Amino acid sequence: MTRLLTILFAAAIALAACTPAGGPVAKNAYRIGNNPGKIQFRMLDSVNALRASAGRAPVKLDANLNAAAATHSRDMAVQNRPWHFGSDGSSPIERVRRVGYTGPLVGEVISETYETELETLGAWMEQPDTRRIIMTPDAKNMGFSWHQESSGKIWWTMVMGG
């Protein structure tokens, strides 16, 4: 009897790990909707509040950096991995130049998650490397965008420029 229960328990766990084709669908995933500007400005306000509390100057949204962030978010989804290189081998520096940004690149922060933009910002602030990019005094401009898959997974990209 114990052996049968063990086998049934193992089978139940194995079945629970199965996901539908195309990846898991998060039932309670944060859904972005149709107002991207609202999300970008909410992130900008949050970043600037954090920067102000540390005595840093505010940053401004930059349309070119937004475009670079959007392109990279879509590309990470296509590659199905969060990393800083494009599918064409491009670096963050190359991507900001392609969209016409003429200032220096301060840094890029990325995430693959089902969380909101503010939860993602909180996670970035907990990590020394990403926190340093967001809080650097050299930053003058910010680009922020994302790509959301049908499963609810979101690929976030923030680009900071000087």
Side-chain angles (χ1 to χ4, degrees):
M1 182 68 164
T2 303
R3 185 173 183 199
L4 178 61
L5 287 175
T6 303
I7 292 170
L8 289 174
F9 182 70
I13 289 174
L15 287 174
C18 293
T19 58
V25 175
K27 292 181 182 176
N28 294 326
Y30 173 60
R31 295 292 176 176
I32 290 177
N34 295 329
N35 195 344
K38 185 176 181 180
I39 290 173
Q40 286 175 321
F41 283 106
R42 187 167 42 235
M43 180 61 89
L44 178 67
D45 289 345
S46 299
V47 166
N48 282 333
L50 291 167
R51 290 176 60 84
S53 71
R56 304 286 190 269
V59 293
K60 297 178 184 174
L61 271 180
D62 182 273
N64 291 333
L65 293 179
N66 285 342
T71 298
H72 191 55
S73 292
R74 282 188 303 275
D75 193 38
M76 285 190 297
V78 168
Q79 296 180 72
N80 196 32
R81 61 178 167 183
W83 75 325
H84 294 283
F85 294 96
S87 56
D88 61 356
S90 63
S91 70
I93 293 171
E94 292 168 307
R95 288 191 297 277
V96 300
R97 293 291 171 255
R98 285 181 190 165
V99 297
Y101 186 74
T102 57
L105 173 72
V106 172
E108 177 182 77
V109 293
I110 58 173
S111 182
E112 167 196 16
T113 185
Y114 290 91
E115 296 179 331
T116 70
E117 66 279 2
L118 298 182
E119 290 169 319
T120 301
L121 177 59
W124 286 337
M125 292 302 289
E126 290 177 4
Q127 300 301 315
D129 292 344
T130 51
R131 179 184 176 86
R132 184 172 42 254
I133 292 168
I134 294 166
M135 299 301 287
T136 182
D138 299 335
K140 307 283 185 257
N141 299 297
M142 181 183 96
F144 180 68
S145 197
W146 59 89
H147 173 78
Q148 187 166 36
E149 297 178 357
S150 60
S151 67
K153 183 189 293 184
I154 307 169
W155 302 85
W156 299 106
T157 303
M158 178 186 289
V159 182
M160 303 297 273

